[in-house]
Amino acid sequence: MSKQELEGVGQDAACCAGLSAAPLDEDQAADLARVFKALGDPVRLRLMSMIASRGVGGEVCVCELTPAFDLSQPTISHHLKLLRQAGLIDCERRGTWVYYWVLPGVLDKLAAFLTTPQPAGATA
């Protein structure tokens, strides 16, 4: 599947009106399912956490990610590719290395989608 075929949560603002705001249509559900499927693997979830922990505008080299796992470099690259296809991260090759970062606003949109409004007077 090409990157154009996969629209992640970062490219479709309509998907993120909120789970409790209105029922999802078929396309929105398919797009979000790709994101959740990408995050549903423990390795990909750890990779996403390692990349996102760099903060806004932060990036991480694949050379820093690979040693954290007992997996081969091609397997790590495959997991990173799935996160990219889901629209969660992007990357840039610089010489021998590839640098990854979280796409701006993606995690905020995903969080907003999952957040339900608090009833008036409710305490957290």
Side-chain angles (χ1 to χ4, degrees):
M1 252 183 230
S2 72
K3 189 172 182 179
Q4 290 76 24
E5 291 174 309
L6 295 175
E7 288 186 22
V9 71
Q11 289 87 26
D12 185 9
C15 77
C16 299
L19 186 59
S20 63
L24 294 172
D25 67 28
E26 197 171 318
D27 291 336
Q28 291 168 325
D31 289 342
L32 277 168
R34 284 186 204 99
V35 172
F36 288 122
K37 185 175 181 179
L39 292 173
D41 180 89
V43 171
R44 289 191 291 273
L45 192 55
R46 282 187 62 208
L47 285 166
M48 186 69 189
S49 173
M50 291 171 75
I51 297 166
S53 68
R54 294 299 173 112
V56 177
E59 58 189 23
V60 60
C61 178
V62 71
C63 65
E64 297 173 67
L65 298 171
T66 305
F69 299 90
D70 190 24
L71 298 169
S72 69
Q73 184 277 323
T75 301
I76 296 297
S77 292
H78 172 73
H79 284 297
L80 290 165
K81 175 182 160 186
L82 294 176
L83 290 171
R84 275 190 9 256
Q85 288 177 331
L88 295 166
I89 63 173
D90 205 357
C91 66
E92 177 181 76
R93 178 174 293 280
R94 297 181 198 148
T96 306
W97 302 112
V98 179
Y99 291 81
Y100 292 88
W101 60 87
V102 175
L103 288 170
V106 168
L107 297 179
D108 292 334
K109 289 177 185 179
L110 191 56
F113 172 76
L114 293 172
T115 303
T116 56
Q118 291 291 325
T123 59

